[in-house]
């Protein structure tokens, strides 16, 4: 039997990091088993679906390494409406489902509670199909439904506690429970690996598989992903869109490594490991069922490690969208003609050790490409205290007289200027750094001045001095 797994997102918004984690787990499992990964887009919510969301799913999957030529599909759930209706008809004809015209208000009036489930009022009324009549599945009165789960063991559900649930609406359209089951049957899905939030639906779906005469798939419900307050990640409250992390400058390799650690870990005391190790060692049965904490600070640290491990030429190429404003990246504060690729290449090794996400490259190097630096006024106030004007005058004089414009000469000159005023280098360079770069922190100062050049450096020091008059 060929293993077939599926990832079935809905195109109703940005791509959730929890969904990306599930996609990777399905994809790796299929590869390990020599099986097939199927992408099915559940697009039946016509009011919320948008074509751009579908394209977003495809591009997000490709970004994290699930290329379009490595999976079957995408299939669209809306194309299988006929199969859904046919399955509902078979269940009704077999006596496994019945029509019901009860309103929510009528059920509440009979049960005396808005929280109690459906009371089975229409089970034996023999209603034919009709406008406004939903089709309900006839849940067995006795026995249990056992869900064999690779991660959670064998959760057992008493059938008497499962209400007769709706499988088709009053207009004949199937609900998610039935459509999902029929799609999996149609596509020959053998293993369903999905988020824990679907576990409560699983006994109902397994009953549908049994009623339709098909052996259920192997289930595996991976842990819910939570925030630092141990609340389920929510797009209304948390930063969950994979595209947002991509556009901020997280590397795909770092993201997919981190996502795979949400509920699982490779052997040994390791977290950052080659992708080939993850592909080889990942085991569904080893996934921890407890909620998995999505720690953005840890992800950021991961990303910094991956950035520092890049060969410099790859780092330069990775930064280019932020330096040129291409793709989905916001344009930088300089004009395209002001960007100097050679200047950036000169400082790239210095910047590579200081940033954790690629978007941080802009404030680290903007001083190189702007006619005038962007002055941080708080930094200015902190650096330009008493004595700053005289120090800038001395720095201009010393730098003007330099024969060799190199980092070591620039450093020794400013050290001497500071020593004459009883200042250590750290204190002496603060006014110079703010005058030239606009900030109190950034790349190593003297290497930056070397790349910026004599003319531009002196012009900025003089402009800062005039501002202090």
């Amino acid at each position: 039997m060929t293993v077939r797994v599926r990832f079935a997102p809905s195109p109703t918004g940005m791509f959730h990091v929890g969904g990306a984690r599930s996609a990777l787990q399905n994809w790796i499992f299929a590869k390990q088993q020599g099986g097939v990964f199927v992408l099915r887009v559940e697009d039946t919510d016509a009011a919320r679906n948008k074509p751009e969301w579908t394209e977003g799913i495809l591009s997000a999957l490709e970004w994290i390494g699930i290329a379009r030529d490595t999976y079957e599909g995408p299939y669209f759930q809306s194309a299988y409406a006929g199969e859904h209706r046919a399955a509902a008809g078979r269940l009704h004809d077999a006596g496994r489902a019945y029509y019901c015209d009860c309103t929510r208000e009528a059920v509440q009036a009979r049960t005396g509670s808005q929280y109690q489930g459906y009371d089975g009022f229409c089970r034996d009324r023999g209603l034919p199909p009709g406008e406004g009549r939903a089709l309900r599945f006839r849940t067995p009165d006795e026995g249990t439904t056992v869900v064999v789960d690779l991660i959670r063991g064998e959760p057992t559900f008493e059938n008497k506690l499962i209400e007769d649930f709706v499988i088709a609406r009053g207009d004949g359209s199937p609900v998610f429970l039935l459509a999902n089951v029929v799609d999996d049957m149609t596509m020959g899905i053998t293993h369903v690996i999905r988020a824990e939030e679907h576990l409560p639906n699983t006994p109902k779906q397994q009953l549908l598989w049994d009623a339709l005469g098909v052996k259920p798939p192997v289930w595996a419900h991976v842990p819910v992903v939570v925030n630092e307050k141990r609340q389920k990640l929510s797009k209304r409250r948390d930063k969950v869109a994979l595209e947002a992390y991509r556009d901020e400058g997280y590397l795909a390799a770092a993201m997919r490594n981190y996502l795979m650690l949400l509920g699982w870990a490779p052997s040994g005391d390791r977290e950052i490991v080659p992708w080939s190790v993850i592909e080889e060692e990942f085991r569904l049965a080893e996934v921890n069922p407890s909620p998995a904490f999505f720690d953005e600070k840890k992800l950021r640290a991961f990303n910094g490690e991956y950035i520092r491990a890049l060969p410099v030429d790859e780092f330069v190429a990775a930064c280019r969208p932020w330096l040129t404003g291409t793709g989905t990246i916001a344009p930088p504060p300089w004009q395209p003609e002001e960007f100097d690729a050679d200047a950036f290449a000169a400082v790239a090794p210095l910047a590579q050790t200081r940033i954790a996400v690629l978007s941080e490259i802009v404030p680290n190097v903007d001083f190189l490409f702007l006619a005038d630096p962007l002055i941080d006024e708080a930094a200015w106030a902190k650096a330009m205290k008493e004595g700053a004007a005289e120090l800038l005058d001395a720095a201009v004089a010393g730098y003007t007289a330099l024969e060799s414009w190199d980092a070591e000469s620039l450093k020794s000159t400013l050290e001497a200027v500071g020593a004459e005023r009883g200042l250590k280098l750290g204190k002496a360079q603060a006014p110079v750094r703010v005058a030239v770069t606009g900030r109190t922190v950034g790349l190593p100062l003297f290497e930056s001045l070397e790349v910026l050049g004599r003319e531009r450096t002196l012009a900025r020091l003089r402009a800062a001095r005039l501002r202090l008059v």
Side-chain angles (χ1 to χ4, degrees), residues 107 111-119 163:
V107 174
T111 62
S113 171
Q114 61 177 319
Y115 304 108
Q116 187 169 327
Y118 180 66
D119 59 355
E163 68 176 7

Side-chain angles (χ1 to χ4, degrees), residues 91-411:
L91 290 169
H92 179 257
D93 293 344
R96 300 304 301 271
Y98 60 90
Y99 284 98
C100 170
D101 62 1
C102 295
T103 63
R104 184 185 302 274
E105 291 75 18
V107 174
Q108 291 179 4
R110 287 196 301 269
T111 62
S113 171
Q114 61 177 319
Y115 304 108
Q116 187 169 327
Y118 180 66
D119 59 355
F121 181 78
C122 291
R123 260 194 167 208
D124 301 314
R125 293 178 65 194
L127 294 177
E131 184 177 351
R133 291 177 177 175
L135 186 63
R136 289 185 179 272
F137 182 77
R138 190 185 300 270
T139 303
D141 294 319
E142 300 178 349
T144 60
T145 297
V146 179
V147 175
V148 179
D149 192 296
L150 292 178
I151 296 172
R152 300 177 184 279
E154 297 186 359
T156 301
F157 303 83
E158 292 188 58
N159 291 335
K160 66 181 181 181
L161 299 179
I162 303 174
E163 68 176 7
D164 289 356
F165 51 92
V166 173
I167 58 174
R169 303 176 184 89
D171 62 1
S173 62
V175 301
F176 165 79
L177 287 172
L178 179 63
N180 194 264
V181 167
V182 173
D183 289 345
D184 285 345
M185 289 180 180
T186 303
M187 297 174 188
I189 301 304
T190 62
H191 294 70
V192 172
I193 305 165
R194 60 185 183 182
E196 177 188 356
E197 64 194 67
H198 295 289
L199 183 59
N201 289 328
T202 306
K204 298 177 181 179
Q205 292 182 316
Q206 186 157 307
L207 286 169
L208 288 172
W209 280 84
D210 293 336
L212 290 167
V214 183
K215 181 181 177 182
V218 177
W219 306 102
H221 288 89
V222 299
V224 66
V225 182
V226 298
N227 62 19
E228 60 185 2
K229 296 181 179 179
R230 299 308 186 264
Q231 301 167 319
K232 179 185 171 184
L233 281 188
S234 167
K235 62 182 179 182
R236 297 180 183 86
R237 179 185 56 237
D238 303 305
K239 182 180 173 182
V240 300
L242 189 71
E243 297 94 327
Y245 288 99
R246 178 193 64 195
D247 295 349
E248 190 177 336
Y250 283 82
L251 299 179
M255 176 60 77
R256 68 187 184 192
N257 184 163
Y258 181 71
L259 288 175
M260 287 302 295
L261 297 182
L262 297 177
W264 175 82
S267 61
D269 187 20
R270 301 177 298 170
E271 290 187 313
I272 297 178
V273 295
W275 185 246
S276 59
V277 172
I278 293 176
E279 287 190 319
E280 180 181 349
E281 294 190 1
F282 176 71
R283 297 292 182 273
L284 269 178
E286 296 175 359
V287 172
N288 189 325
S290 300
F293 172 33
F294 187 89
D295 186 346
E296 191 175 342
K297 292 179 181 178
K298 186 173 183 179
L299 171 61
R300 179 182 170 85
F302 259 60
N303 202 65
E305 291 288 339
Y306 271 87
I307 284 176
R308 289 187 285 277
L310 288 174
V312 174
D313 59 337
E314 291 185 21
F315 173 72
V316 169
C319 288
R320 195 164 187 85
W322 283 267
L323 301 173
T324 58
T326 56
T328 59
I329 309 305
W334 54 80
Q335 297 301 311
E337 63 271 13
E338 294 178 298
F339 175 65
D340 184 337
D342 291 335
F344 177 65
V347 299
L350 305 175
Q352 187 173 1
T353 63
R354 286 167 169 78
I355 66 173
V357 294
L358 294 175
S359 58
E360 292 175 347
I361 194 63
V362 172
N364 272 277
V365 302
D366 60 4
F367 70 95
L368 286 173
F369 313 122
L370 294 169
D372 299 300
L374 296 173
I375 301 294
D376 178 338
E377 293 302 329
W380 179 276
K382 182 178 179 180
M384 301 302 180
K385 296 181 179 179
E386 183 179 354
E390 291 74 16
L391 187 143
L392 291 176
D393 284 335
V396 167
Y399 285 165
T400 300
L402 278 180
E403 295 183 4
S404 177
W405 191 263
D406 59 79
E408 188 57 41
S409 299
L410 292 162
K411 178 182 177 182

